[in-house]
Amino acid sequence: MRVAIIGAGVIGLSSALCIQEQFQSLLPSLELEVYADHFTPHTTSDGAAGLWQPYASDRGNLQETLWNKETFDYLLGQLHSPAAKEMGLFLISGYNLFTEPAPDPSWKNIVLGFRNLTPKELELFPGYSHGWFNTALMLEGRSYLPWLTNRLTQRGVKFFHKKVESFQELFSQGVDVVLNCSGMRSGDLQPDPELQPGRGQIIRVLAPWVKHFIITHDLKSGVYNSPYVIPGSEFTVLGGIYQHGNWSEENSAKDHKSIWESCCQLLPALRKAKIVGEWSGLRPARPSVRLERESIRLGNVQAEVIHNYGHGGFGITIHWGCAMAAARLFGTILQEKKQLATPPGPRL
Amino acid sequence: MASPKVAVVGAGVIGLSTALCITETCPSCSVTVLSDQFSPNTTSDVAAGMLIPHIYPDTPIHRQKQWFQETFTYLFAISNSAKASEAGIHLVSGWQIFKSTPKEELPFWSDIVLGFRPMSEAELQKFPQHRFGQAFTTLKCDCPPYLLWLEKRLKATGTQMYTRKVADLWELHSEYDIVVNCTGMGAHQLVGDKQLFPVRGQVLKVHAPWVTQFIRDGDGLTYIYPGIHRVTLGGTREKGSWNLSPDADTTRDIFDRCCSLEPSLQGAQDIEVKVGLRPSRQCVRVQREVLSKGGVKLPVVHNYGHGAGGFSVHRGTAKEAAHLVEECISALQSLSSRAKL
């Protein structure tokens, strides 16, 4: 049973790992293969700061909220394991700031210690009248993706550096199931007008005195179009750009200026911070995540595709819940193909 | 007295902040800092510099609270400004945890730090051996940056600083009008204060940049304080020990205790071991005194004995000491004007 995963970002690698962990022992003939044109550190996931935080308003999508929760709980459980450092996983507290009252987010009971900001705390952020404080998690792609890759390699998963042009290409080589985790480029494999780039740009600086994330919100300009500061283990990420429909992966001088000025206004001490890098990436934005099976008829064979893409700016936040859901879909496929007598239970 | 000459003895956080306060309250004063040690070799450089007060048994609580409030307000303004990184001042959030619920669940400083509240059940799950905790955000003064920044501000006011071991305050009476004694543990010898005793603290300073939260056991013995470049792991409280040499078994013990609270510290790199003697006293001595010898008088202002709480109250005690210096100047001026009559 050959399973091909297209995409080696956080979604592809974690989906591969979930399937491997749950089914390898039950199905010795299982062969997993990861195909991608970009591997870490050149994926979209590598550019993300790595903060676990869903959007402030949940778009009314309860399923996504559940996947977010599953991811947070899973990561929290990993926090004390010896792997945490290697995974790039650690706790971080911080601030969400608003210029007007905002309803509590869907994730207020998922994170730790969620509360409103006190007047004294708001003095730190002139111009903002309301806000939240909570403790969440960082999962840095630059560490997590290599960690996932190592686990997968140790378990015999094969990696192929190649751009897959179509699902058919893989099926004609004898692949039985394809996991489509191709993020922004899913449209090249199968047109999807709902998938659009949410272009982001970030500046990386050295500001090790910043120990909190600060995410501002401007309900008028939309998600991520307002400055944010996210400290990581090696550098701090400054951002605040979200351009729907913009496919450019080139750094823009205008966006640089906007990020720099707005973040320095938020945290004056940043003016002394040394800039060490800049990056632009495309959030694979979609009104909702596409996580579903698709059966494709190819001649007299039924080929199965599991789609798992469209995670916008919350891929890291939602990845594990989606990977587990993708694994469940895979289990159903196996049952239908009579590869399994009974469905597998959750992996302990 | 046109330009009173003030000598501040001691260049730790107390000496430097007191000198700075004196230049602020008495711009006409000529201030000189004398110390046998400067940053990075002072007791203050060993400390993590966390603003979490230590309770002095014999100082009235309202006074301790005022000192802490003044210090917190002063540093809060710096942390919020463009100078924050140079001054080494930053906000840090975290938890103080207790194995058994403390009798005082609300310490006197709970309304001064930011966002103080009891920890939730979910947060306490991270610490299975502890049943109660407090979450809050406070400030940290990283040393050497903070001391170097104070030195820079002092130099800008024209304050001179000299490396000099003062063996006796009387050495200074011919060159200076007023002496301010900020010698910390040195006061034991210098002024013969037997109420002052060392409490030895050993700490590890490690590279672990993924640690963003502070964790402090309410017993004061185990703590993890993330600074700008290094995380301070502590510690010990060895009353009466004058030993400034690091102890290897203690290092192992501190590391183990901290790892049990924060397992990811197993991956910490570049471990540096430091020892400091907290200059401890039942109450902080912020007091005027006039020394007298052979008809000569020497006004002295004492500001020492801050024990484990130096950073937490430094600005408040510095301001108080500066006021006492003003009183000394008034007294000297009225003396000299009477002498003229």
Side-chain angles (χ1 to χ4, degrees):
Chain A
M1 159 74 54
R2 282 178 63 195
V3 177
I5 295 102
I6 308 176
V10 68
I11 301 299
L13 297 183
S14 59
S15 300
L17 190 64
C18 263
I19 288 173
Q20 200 282 336
E21 284 183 341
Q22 290 181 35
F23 296 102
Q24 189 75 73
S25 53
L26 297 168
L27 191 63
S29 70
L30 183 64
E31 278 175 31
L32 287 165
E33 302 157 11
V34 175
Y35 293 80
D37 56 1
H38 293 298
F39 287 91
T40 181
H42 305 294
T43 70
T44 309
S45 307
D46 290 287
L51 177 67
W52 187 100
Q53 184 168 299
Y55 293 168
S57 74
D58 73 354
R59 336 195 285 174
N61 197 318
L62 180 63
Q63 179 60 266
E64 287 178 8
T65 301
L66 291 173
W67 286 332
N68 289 333
K69 176 173 163 56
E70 200 177 340
T71 306
F72 191 89
D73 291 345
Y74 163 71
L75 292 174
L76 200 61
Q78 295 294 310
L79 204 52
H80 280 197
S81 80
K85 185 199 167 196
E86 220 192 307
M87 285 166 79
L89 177 65
F90 52 93
L91 282 170
I92 186 168
S93 297
Y95 306 90
N96 276 277
L97 304 173
F98 299 83
T99 53
E100 56 195 306
D104 286 348
S106 62
W107 41 270
K108 74 183 239 218
N109 293 321
I110 302 175
V111 294
L112 301 176
F114 182 94
R115 61 172 173 83
N116 286 317
L117 292 180
T118 64
K120 186 98 164 289
E121 287 172 308
L122 284 165
E123 278 177 39
L124 288 165
F125 310 110
Y128 294 94
S129 58
H130 292 79
W132 310 323
F133 181 94
N134 65 267
T135 303
L137 293 162
M138 283 286 284
L139 184 62
E140 296 183 311
R142 287 177 339 278
S143 297
Y144 190 47
L145 264 53
W147 182 82
L148 287 168
T149 307
N150 287 341
R151 303 271 306 236
L152 289 166
T153 309
Q154 277 163 23
R155 287 141 188 238
V157 174
K158 305 261 183 304
F159 288 80
F160 300 93
H161 193 156
K162 114 182 242 201
K163 184 171 164 76
V164 171
E165 303 291 350
S166 68
F167 299 133
Q168 279 76 349
E169 181 192 320
L170 295 171
F171 290 126
S172 67
Q173 286 170 28
V175 166
D176 299 292
V177 178
V178 167
L179 257 89
N180 175 19
C181 305
S182 52
M184 198 63 249
R185 259 82 53 59
S186 266
D188 293 351
L189 293 167
Q190 188 183 89
D192 181 353
E194 293 195 293
L195 179 69
Q196 291 289 320
R199 181 183 175 279
Q201 184 167 322
I202 52 148
I203 304 173
R204 295 179 178 132
V205 302
L206 294 181
W209 63 89
V210 178
K211 303 289 181 193
H212 297 88
F213 62 81
I214 303 165
I215 319 276
T216 67
H217 301 261
D218 182 344
L219 302 176
K220 285 187 296 300
S221 60
V223 73
Y224 294 132
N225 253 332
S226 191
Y228 61 81
V229 177
I230 301 175
S233 63
E234 286 176 78
F235 48 70
T236 298
V237 171
L238 310 184
I241 299 288
Y242 188 108
Q243 293 152 350
H244 200 78
N246 186 348
W247 283 92
S248 168
E249 287 178 87
E250 300 290 311
N251 292 322
S252 134
K254 178 161 176 256
D255 290 338
H256 172 102
K257 185 151 184 266
S258 160
I259 297 165
W260 184 254
E261 285 307 315
S262 60
C263 286
C264 286
Q265 195 179 12
L266 190 57
L267 271 191
L270 284 174
R271 290 203 189 274
K272 305 274 171 74
K274 183 176 169 205
I275 296 177
V276 294
E278 193 135 10
W279 179 81
S280 297
L282 308 177
R283 300 174 184 88
R286 210 173 176 275
S288 63
V289 172
R290 187 176 183 201
L291 181 39
E292 63 186 1
R293 266 176 74 179
E294 188 182 0
S295 301
I296 299 179
R297 195 105 222 140
L298 291 175
N300 58 350
V301 163
Q302 181 153 295
E304 297 290 339
V305 177
I306 299 172
H307 296 286
N308 186 5
Y309 68 85
H311 305 81
F314 50 91
I316 284 164
T317 298
I318 203 172
H319 80 277
W320 192 254
C322 289
M324 294 290 274
R328 282 193 292 277
L329 289 175
F330 181 71
T332 312
I333 294 172
L334 288 185
Q335 261 194 287
E336 286 170 13
K337 287 185 189 287
K338 296 183 172 41
Q339 295 282 344
L340 279 184
T342 48
R347 171 127 182 126
L348 288 168
Chain B
M1 185 159 277
S3 179
K5 293 198 288 294
V6 182
V8 175
V9 187
V13 68
I14 301 303
L16 296 180
S17 57
T18 302
L20 194 60
C21 277
I22 295 169
T23 65
E24 289 165 11
T25 56
C26 177
S28 64
C29 281
S30 151
V31 181
T32 307
V33 175
L34 306 169
S35 181
D36 59 355
Q37 301 291 354
F38 283 83
S39 181
N41 298 315
T42 70
T43 306
S44 303
D45 290 288
V46 180
M50 286 292 285
L51 257 68
I52 299 177
H54 166 81
I55 314 284
Y56 303 102
D58 291 353
T59 302
I61 289 288
H62 72 84
R63 201 168 168 219
Q64 296 187 47
K65 186 165 180 174
Q66 194 188 336
W67 285 339
F68 183 59
Q69 175 75 77
E70 278 179 345
T71 307
F72 196 93
T73 302
Y74 172 72
L75 295 174
F76 185 76
I78 299 172
S79 79
N80 207 15
S81 77
K83 304 188 186 63
S85 59
E86 197 198 335
I89 309 292
H90 59 100
L91 284 171
V92 59
S93 295
W95 306 291
Q96 178 165 241
I97 53 181
F98 300 83
K99 290 198 165 118
S100 51
T101 311
K103 38 181 164 47
E104 226 190 76
E105 284 189 22
L106 270 188
F108 76 78
W109 43 267
S110 62
D111 58 346
I112 298 175
V113 297
L114 303 177
F116 184 98
R117 59 173 173 83
M119 280 168 77
S120 63
E121 281 305 312
E123 288 172 305
L124 278 165
Q125 293 204 2
K126 186 171 150 65
F127 308 108
Q129 315 227 312
H130 294 75
R131 37 169 33 100
F132 178 80
Q134 301 153 339
F136 56 93
T137 302
T138 188
L139 291 159
K140 186 177 188 297
C141 301
D142 272 37
C143 284
Y146 184 55
L147 297 190
L148 294 178
W149 182 75
L150 288 173
E151 285 179 27
K152 184 174 165 185
R153 298 216 28 215
L154 281 167
K155 283 182 187 142
T157 67
T159 300
Q160 303 283 335
M161 290 182 268
Y162 298 107
T163 302
R164 175 174 167 176
K165 170 96 184 153
V166 174
D168 186 331
L169 293 182
W170 280 105
E171 282 172 34
L172 306 172
H173 90 275
S174 58
E175 303 160 69
Y176 301 97
D177 302 305
I178 299 164
V179 172
V180 186
N181 171 21
C182 303
T183 54
M185 207 55 240
H188 188 271
Q189 181 77 2
L190 189 60
V191 298
D193 185 344
K194 300 290 178 258
Q195 290 176 57
L196 183 68
F197 55 94
V199 175
R200 182 184 183 277
Q202 184 164 319
V203 294
L204 314 183
K205 304 226 173 187
V206 309
H207 178 77
W210 60 88
V211 177
T212 65
Q213 308 285 117
F214 76 79
I215 303 170
R216 178 181 199 270
D217 192 308
D219 67 12
L221 284 175
T222 307
Y223 50 83
I224 297 163
Y225 294 143
I228 295 175
H229 297 292
R230 325 213 87 218
V231 182
T232 301
L233 308 184
T236 65
R237 290 186 171 214
E238 298 155 275
K239 190 170 165 184
S241 166
W242 290 86
N243 180 11
L244 278 168
S245 303
D247 177 80
D249 287 335
T250 303
T251 296
R252 178 87 247 153
D253 180 57
I254 292 170
F255 192 72
D256 288 345
R257 282 188 274 124
C258 288
C259 285
S260 78
L261 294 183
E262 180 53 72
S264 70
L265 284 170
Q266 292 287 353
Q269 301 283 315
D270 221 8
I271 297 174
E272 228 190 296
V273 188
K274 297 185 104 166
V275 178
L277 307 179
R278 300 175 184 85
S280 309
R281 221 169 169 274
Q282 292 291 99
C283 61
V284 183
R285 188 177 185 200
V286 189
Q287 196 176 52
R288 265 178 77 188
E289 189 182 6
V290 180
L291 301 183
S292 205
K293 196 158 94 170
V296 184
K297 297 205 188 300
L298 178 62
V300 175
V301 172
H302 298 286
N303 188 7
Y304 67 85
H306 300 73
F311 280 89
S312 297
V313 298
H314 76 274
R315 177 78 182 176
T317 57
K319 283 181 77 169
E320 203 174 301
H323 287 313
L324 293 178
V325 168
E326 271 190 309
E327 285 180 15
C328 290
I329 293 170
S330 302
L332 284 172
Q333 280 168 338
S334 68
L335 225 71
S336 76
S337 58
R338 256 190 276 141
K340 288 189 181 97
L341 290 172

